[in-house]
Amino acid sequence: MKAISFLGFNKRGYQETTYLNPLQQGEYKTKFVQEALVEFYKPETLYILLTDTAENGIPDNETESTWKTLQNRLAEKVNLKPIYNVPEGHTTDDIWKLFGMLTDCLQDEDCVLFDITNGFRSLPVLALIAVSYLRVVRKVKIKGLIYGAFDAKDSDNKTPIFDLLPIVSLLEWTSATDLFIKTGNGELLSNLLQSSETKTQNLAASIEGIAQGLQLLRPMDVMREAAILPDRINAAAPSVSISIPQFAALLGRVEKDYSAFGLQNPTDYQNYPQSSLLRQLKMVEWYAAKGQTVQALSMAREWLPSLVCYHFKLDPLDKQNRDEMELLLNGGKIKDNDGNTVRESVYLENWSKLPKQKQKPLNKLWGGEFNLANLRNDVLHAGFRKNPKNAQEILEQTKKIIKELQNVAEQWNLQDESV
């Protein structure tokens, strides 16, 4: 394991204190937190970042520099590697130089401990950013982000060492949650939830199920997993919040955004056909809002024959039913090349009696002005056809289609039977 620490300069010299071991029972009396760090954590290599002042400055009543004293005290205890010429300013260039010095100490998959006890100016913030960066780019394993809290010493001059790594973990949890909320990608959040506890494993499974269902256009899977999401969040939140207290609020955002998709029995078309349709429409809106236009158009195209199946009290998962409803949306008749009717939908007569204010918007969406079926095909075939629409046209058309679908849901007076 490597450790990275900073040595500052105090004109009066560092004061001796007894540092308490944060890992187990134990303590170490010293003027230098680095010495206690080596004793408690046993790193193989210790990098010391030094400004010119810290390197050469000699405190009052001392005969040698602080750096020289530390070198002597750590001799043969650890592989000590100084990093010289650390900038003392706080310009943008200084900050980037310091950030580079931090990251240059490490190689891919190193295990490292950061000590910011003697950090100056913007160092704590830089350390937090560096830790997050290194975790992602170099797959560095962070052992700890420690701070010897000299100001918090007790009446016996004993100083605690705090590990601030949970703060970095909160950043990681926040980023993973934000990614899931904004894009539907739940892999990072699901991985963070992996543990030996059944309750957190169940929550991870639900998040992964919702994410995969959204990614692969499986609305029934999404509805089922979203239905049990609130209970699984409530069950897992106490144990997760022990290490990440603020995670309960993050889970609240997840529940707010995804529980709206929840329906325990999405294929129960005897009792909940409208509930299923309404949630599918919410997913269409969700896809469009997240910029996932291909999925939005695919779901929207399938929503129309499902709506017609609902009208005729048919199972929309039956392919023959769907084919028949699509035939109705295409006019209800199949004709040969001479224009003669070769087949007519058995539902056509009933369909023709549907009020025009209900039927006309569907015809307009399916093959009329919006030609949703054709637009969906244009997108899924990647524009490999004559006269494909350009990207901007597709986006504009999609917005209009979603608004029209919302109008259809209102015109058909779809109600949520599960409420």
Side-chain angles (χ1 to χ4, degrees):
M1 182 184 74
K2 296 177 178 179
I4 298 176
S5 183
F6 296 78
L7 185 65
F9 174 72
N10 188 325
K11 188 171 177 57
R12 293 175 296 176
Y14 286 116
Q15 299 178 38
E16 192 170 68
T17 187
T18 300
Y19 286 102
L20 302 177
N21 190 335
L23 303 176
Q24 59 190 18
Q25 289 292 327
E27 55 187 41
Y28 193 83
K29 191 174 183 178
T30 177
K31 294 195 296 184
F32 298 100
V33 69
Q34 293 86 358
E35 196 172 4
L37 178 159
V38 170
E39 177 70 21
F40 297 153
Y41 289 91
K42 311 295 185 187
E44 298 171 359
T45 302
L46 173 60
Y47 291 90
I48 301 289
L49 276 76
L50 296 159
T51 64
D52 289 340
T53 302
E55 178 189 356
N56 302 304
I58 300 176
D60 295 341
N61 303 317
E62 298 282 350
T63 59
E64 62 182 8
S65 69
T66 303
W67 167 231
K68 184 65 176 177
T69 302
L70 180 62
Q71 283 181 292
N72 293 334
R73 298 187 71 153
L74 290 178
E76 300 182 2
K77 289 185 178 181
V78 68
N79 179 21
L80 191 61
K81 289 186 174 292
I83 306 295
Y84 297 111
N85 300 316
V86 171
E88 300 191 45
H90 52 271
T91 66
T92 301
D93 287 343
D94 289 336
I95 290 172
W96 281 118
K97 183 177 179 181
L98 180 54
F99 185 81
M101 288 178 167
L102 284 169
T103 56
D104 287 345
C105 296
L106 303 172
Q107 305 300 318
D108 289 355
E109 300 186 3
D110 273 348
C111 181
V112 63
L113 175 75
F114 277 90
D115 165 40
I116 61 171
T117 303
N118 297 319
F120 49 93
R121 296 188 180 94
S122 56
L123 174 64
V125 174
L126 280 177
L128 285 172
I129 296 172
V131 167
S132 298
Y133 170 83
L134 292 166
R135 274 181 160 179
V136 174
V137 175
R138 297 191 181 172
K139 299 181 181 179
V140 167
K141 301 175 183 66
I142 310 299
K143 183 72 174 179
L145 182 65
I146 64 170
Y147 175 72
F150 186 77
D151 291 340
K153 65 182 183 295
D154 62 18
S155 57
D156 295 325
N157 195 30
K158 293 188 176 182
T159 299
I161 293 178
F162 298 129
D163 189 352
L164 306 179
L165 190 58
I167 296 177
V168 180
S169 297
L170 178 59
L171 292 175
E172 191 173 17
W173 283 88
T174 301
S175 297
T177 305
D178 189 51
L179 180 66
F180 182 46
I181 290 170
K182 287 184 176 177
T183 70
N185 185 332
E187 182 178 2
L188 289 178
L189 185 55
S190 178
N191 288 342
L192 287 173
L193 284 164
Q194 297 296 331
S195 73
S196 59
E197 292 194 22
T198 301
K199 292 176 181 179
T200 55
Q201 289 280 27
N202 287 341
L203 177 56
S206 284
I207 288 173
E208 186 175 2
I210 291 171
Q212 290 177 348
L214 289 168
Q215 181 183 11
L216 298 174
L217 283 169
R218 293 295 179 268
M220 306 306 165
D221 293 349
V222 173
M223 284 187 269
R224 290 190 192 94
E225 291 295 343
I228 59 178
L229 181 65
D231 288 342
R232 290 194 165 179
I233 286 177
N234 289 335
S239 58
V240 178
S241 295
I242 292 174
S243 55
I244 310 292
Q246 293 78 8
F247 189 56
L250 295 175
L251 286 176
R253 281 290 314 279
V254 171
E255 181 177 352
K256 179 182 177 182
D257 279 42
Y258 288 104
S259 62
F261 295 152
L263 187 63
Q264 289 186 346
N265 299 300
T267 58
D268 182 358
Y269 295 108
Q270 294 295 320
N271 298 303
Y272 304 109
Q274 298 178 77
S275 298
S276 185
L277 284 167
L278 287 170
R279 281 157 180 75
Q280 291 171 44
L281 182 54
K282 285 181 181 178
M283 287 184 216
V284 174
E285 296 165 351
W286 183 91
Y287 281 126
K290 308 301 181 186
Q292 300 180 36
T293 305
V294 175
Q295 291 92 329
L297 290 173
S298 297
M299 279 280 292
R301 190 267 185 206
E302 299 301 331
W303 192 80
L304 291 175
S306 294
L307 179 67
V308 184
C309 280
Y310 155 67
H311 173 71
F312 288 104
K313 295 182 173 54
L314 299 173
D315 183 353
L317 298 182
D318 185 286
K319 186 178 185 306
Q320 288 185 338
N321 290 341
R322 297 192 72 81
D323 289 344
E324 196 69 25
M325 298 305 101
E326 290 180 14
L327 176 58
L328 283 179
L329 290 167
N330 283 316
K333 297 179 181 180
I334 297 177
K335 296 183 178 182
D336 60 22
N337 292 335
D338 297 324
N340 299 313
T341 299
V342 296
R343 188 167 86 81
E344 181 176 294
S345 171
V346 296
Y347 298 97
L348 182 58
E349 182 178 356
N350 189 305
W351 179 248
S352 63
K353 296 176 182 178
L354 189 70
K356 294 299 181 184
Q357 63 267 30
K358 281 190 173 183
Q359 187 181 128
K360 187 176 179 180
L362 269 61
N363 294 332
K364 181 180 176 182
L365 276 163
W366 184 261
E369 176 185 339
F370 295 108
N371 207 347
L372 174 54
N374 184 64
L375 181 62
R376 192 285 304 264
N377 291 338
D378 187 354
V379 170
L380 289 185
H381 291 296
F384 283 94
R385 47 168 45 195
K386 298 292 184 181
N387 302 315
K389 290 186 178 296
N390 62 44
Q392 190 59 41
E393 289 175 319
I394 293 170
L395 292 173
E396 291 175 358
Q397 192 81 334
T398 300
K399 290 180 183 177
K400 294 176 182 177
I401 286 170
I402 291 174
K403 186 174 181 179
E404 194 67 20
L405 289 172
Q406 293 166 340
N407 291 337
V408 167
E410 291 182 10
Q411 187 66 46
W412 282 62
N413 194 31
L414 295 180
Q415 302 294 318
D416 190 350
E417 304 104 335
S418 67
V419 176

